[in-house]
Amino acid sequence: MIDSYASSDDAAVAIAGARAGADVIRSMYGRRLSRIDKGAGDFATAADVEAEEAILGVIRAARPHDAVLGEEGGQQGAAEAVRQWLVDPLCGTLNYAVGSMLVAVNVALRDGAAAVADPFSGEVFFTDREAAWVRRAGVDDAPLSPTPSTRLVDVNLDPPFPSAPGFRAVDLLARPEFVERFRPRVVSTTLALAWVAAGKRAAYVTDGGDLSGSVHFAAGIALCRAAGCVVTGIDGAPIGAAGRGLAVAADEETHGLLMSMMRSLPDD
């Protein structure tokens, strides 16, 4: 496995891939799309599949020796490869299918560069793993600057709920101290992670297992870490093999407040 590419070049590949996927998502928006049933209420659309193919086309052309794990196409190349790209072509498929524009395109090199594209705002959030920026058409790249000033906290309510009954996000929303300090939002897309890195959100919380290698979350996690956010599991532990979910905050104070609220949630 070739492992000699500069991280800045990897960032360019991630950006190009995310943009290619975003172009497909934007062009197919509003059409009546066929659905591919995945079971348990989950599905993909023709837009998911075509966007992933567009992203893979970019990666194959630029990094033909790299492995890829795609949300729709699965593993291509060795799963244990030194260099593996994680691709989520449409995060927020249900939103998209009902006409909502709250979606993201996620492209990440495992433990490396990453990009998250918002197909409808035209913004591409990206990192070379050392720093993080946002790119807008006709505007110079701007560094991402997390801040808790909005007081907006996105909470993912999508199943599964592996930490219930000890932790349930819906219980967090019902706590008086939470609504006194924050303003909850529910968007059902990991675009919300990019928003924390960019200062558009104060924090993001989701249940789950180890999300560090997830095609849905890897790009957003990389962005938040590079931007200087606090990134842990919902129990405050580092994310990884034993991690549970995500609690990402713009600063230590916000993260600490969320941790104290989540730890005091009543068990059933």
Side-chain angles (χ1 to χ4, degrees):
M1 181 61 67
I2 296 174
D3 190 21
S4 60
Y5 305 118
S7 61
S8 59
D9 292 339
D10 286 335
V13 174
I15 292 167
R19 279 183 157 173
D23 287 345
V24 172
I25 298 304
R26 191 168 51 252
S27 68
M28 297 183 73
Y29 178 74
R31 298 185 192 177
R32 188 178 183 86
L33 300 174
S34 59
R35 297 188 180 189
I36 303 162
D37 183 28
K38 295 182 177 182
D42 192 16
F43 63 89
T45 69
D48 297 67
V49 176
E50 290 193 26
E52 182 164 303
E53 278 303 311
I55 297 166
L56 294 185
V58 171
I59 295 173
R60 288 177 186 135
R63 301 290 187 265
H65 302 288
D66 290 0
V68 177
L69 176 61
E71 165 71 3
E72 308 310 330
Q75 183 69 47
Q76 299 182 36
E80 68 277 8
V82 174
R83 292 174 55 87
Q84 183 179 56
W85 294 85
L86 307 172
V87 175
D88 181 3
L90 177 53
C91 188
T93 298
L94 181 55
N95 288 350
Y96 185 79
V98 299
S100 170
M101 295 181 178
L102 291 172
V103 300
V105 177
N106 297 314
V107 179
L109 177 63
R110 189 185 293 275
D111 299 322
V116 176
D118 180 338
F120 299 103
S121 74
E123 294 175 311
V124 181
F125 308 89
F126 66 97
T127 177
D128 59 2
R129 200 181 179 191
E130 301 299 324
W133 302 269
V134 60
R135 179 169 296 179
R136 303 180 180 94
V139 180
D140 291 339
D141 295 342
L144 296 184
S145 182
T147 172
S149 61
T150 66
R151 300 175 62 198
L152 301 177
V153 175
D154 277 307
V155 180
N156 181 25
L157 300 181
D158 290 337
F161 309 114
S163 298
F167 171 82
R168 294 185 305 186
V170 67
D171 293 333
L172 179 64
L173 299 179
R175 294 193 68 83
E177 60 267 38
F178 181 84
V179 295
E180 287 170 5
R181 180 65 175 80
F182 301 113
R183 293 293 177 265
R185 296 291 185 272
V186 179
V187 296
S188 297
T189 169
T190 54
L191 181 62
L193 279 170
W195 288 346
V196 178
K200 297 182 179 184
R201 293 290 192 267
Y204 173 83
V205 177
T206 184
D207 195 359
D210 173 20
L211 302 179
S212 60
S214 165
V215 295
H216 305 293
F217 292 92
I221 289 170
L223 276 174
C224 288
R225 282 176 164 164
C229 301
V230 182
V231 181
T232 72
I234 55 173
D235 55 358
I239 59 173
R244 291 192 302 128
L246 279 176
V248 178
D251 64 348
E252 291 283 359
E253 180 184 3
T254 301
H255 185 266
L257 285 170
L258 287 171
M259 286 294 102
S260 65
M261 293 176 193
M262 288 190 284
R263 287 167 181 155
S264 63
L265 288 173
D267 291 348
D268 282 355

